Amino acid sequence: MGKLKQLRSVLPGLKPRVAFLGDDKAASSRARDRVHLHRGWYHLARWHKEPDGLRYRILVRDLFICQMCGWNGGNETRRLVADHKRPHRGDPTLFWAEANLWCLCKPCHDSVKQREERAAAGEAVGGGRKSG
């Protein structure tokens, strides 16, 4: 009877998929900011400062109404997002283009829109994931 060969471990070659375990969302966000420098653009006055920032101008242009579900945010700007219709992926032209932005409520942005973007990214990379 032959000896079993020792199998080489696959684990050392795999990239970690979870950077942080636990509820430290701020630390996780800071780590992503260090890797993706364009995320810092969201912290610039040019983007964030009211009433001159691009984010606020988009909310005003769209009358504080979610362009997906029609929810009227009124003065609840914390519950509204200036979302990029086409993901910018670090392209400054797409990031700052007003025509590429629209007003979404947080629930639409965080669920429907993110799911669509992840599905599109999966299809572009390898045809999507197969279950089973």
Side-chain angles (χ1 to χ4, degrees):
M1 185 173 211
K3 290 185 176 180
L4 290 176
K5 294 181 181 178
Q6 185 176 6
L7 296 176
R8 189 172 55 100
S9 176
V10 182
L11 294 177
L14 295 177
K15 293 181 182 178
R17 294 194 51 104
V18 178
F20 294 92
L21 297 176
D23 294 331
D24 194 356
K25 291 182 180 182
S28 174
S29 182
R30 284 191 302 274
R32 280 194 311 274
D33 288 351
R34 285 191 298 272
V35 173
H36 304 287
L37 297 177
H38 62 268
R39 286 176 48 95
W41 297 341
Y42 290 106
H43 303 294
L44 296 176
R46 179 179 172 188
W47 171 264
H48 198 64
K49 188 173 180 178
E50 292 182 20
D52 303 322
L54 181 58
R55 174 190 175 273
Y56 192 75
R57 286 199 317 267
I58 297 305
L59 301 184
V60 169
R61 181 198 69 196
D62 292 347
L63 304 174
F64 300 94
I65 296 172
C66 176
Q67 302 301 297
M68 232 178 217
C69 73
W71 180 73
N72 186 342
N75 292 330
E76 300 266 350
T77 59
R78 294 172 306 157
R79 297 179 61 194
L80 294 170
V81 176
D83 177 65
H84 293 89
K85 296 176 190 177
R86 182 172 161 211
H88 60 85
R89 310 257 191 259
D91 178 347
T93 305
L94 280 177
F95 185 90
W96 298 108
E98 289 191 30
N100 189 38
L101 290 160
W102 60 345
C103 176
L104 294 181
C105 65
K106 285 284 289 169
C108 284
H109 176 266
D110 294 351
S111 62
V112 178
K113 182 70 176 10
Q114 295 297 314
R115 192 167 41 248
E116 288 173 0
E117 286 184 12
R118 286 186 186 114
E123 289 171 11
V125 172
R129 294 184 184 176
K130 295 180 182 177
S131 59

